[in-house]
Structures are given as structure tokens and as C-alpha cells.
Amino acid sequence: GCPFPSLRSLQLQGNSIGADGLRALLTSPVARRLQGLDLSDTAQGAVSIEALCRSDALGHLEVLDLDGNLLGASATAAFG
């Protein structure tokens, strides 16, 4: 079974998980159940955010916090 079956919100703020950590999260079965995800100050860049936007793993996500990451114009455009 899936670990942490009741987990719906994940707060990773301030943890420098970077692109590798985000990639691991997006491939985790936990990601598909998340409704809230705080990635503020987690050392994400444009490539990570673009991958996040292309991923279908976070289809139930209602709240996403990316504050404190260096997104840039290309990452911002990925949300468009």
C-alpha cells in the first residue's frame, strides 16, 4: 500500500530539497493525494517549476506555495 494514507498536505518550507527532492516527490505515490503543498524556500528554480507544471502527479492540488524560490520568467510562464 501507499505510505501515509491520510496525508493530504505536505509542508517542506525551508528544506533545500532542490530539483532532486521535487523529482522524488513527483514520482511518489503520496503526491497523487496531496491537496496542499508548501515548497517555499526549497531551492527550486525554473526547471523544477516547469517540471512541476507538466506533471500530472499533483492533480488534486488546491494550494501551492512557492514563495522564496528563484522562479524567473520562464517558470512563471509555465503556469500560464
Side-chain angles (χ1 to χ4, degrees):
C2 186
F4 309 107
S6 298
L7 185 66
R8 297 288 182 264
S9 180
L10 190 57
Q11 298 179 347
L12 296 171
Q13 73 275 10
N15 291 288
S16 297
I17 64 169
D20 290 339
L22 181 59
R23 194 170 18 261
L25 174 64
L26 293 176
T27 59
S28 166
V30 170
R32 298 203 174 274
R33 294 191 318 271
L34 291 178
Q35 295 172 340
L37 180 59
D38 185 347
L39 292 172
S40 59
D41 298 309
T42 56
Q44 301 305 320
V47 173
S48 298
I49 302 307
E50 290 168 13
L52 179 108
C53 289
R54 285 191 307 272
S55 173
D56 62 351
L58 300 172
H60 292 97
L61 201 63
E62 296 173 7
V63 177
L64 175 63
D65 188 344
L66 295 169
D67 189 44
N69 291 293
L70 301 174
L71 302 183
S74 63
T76 305
F79 286 105

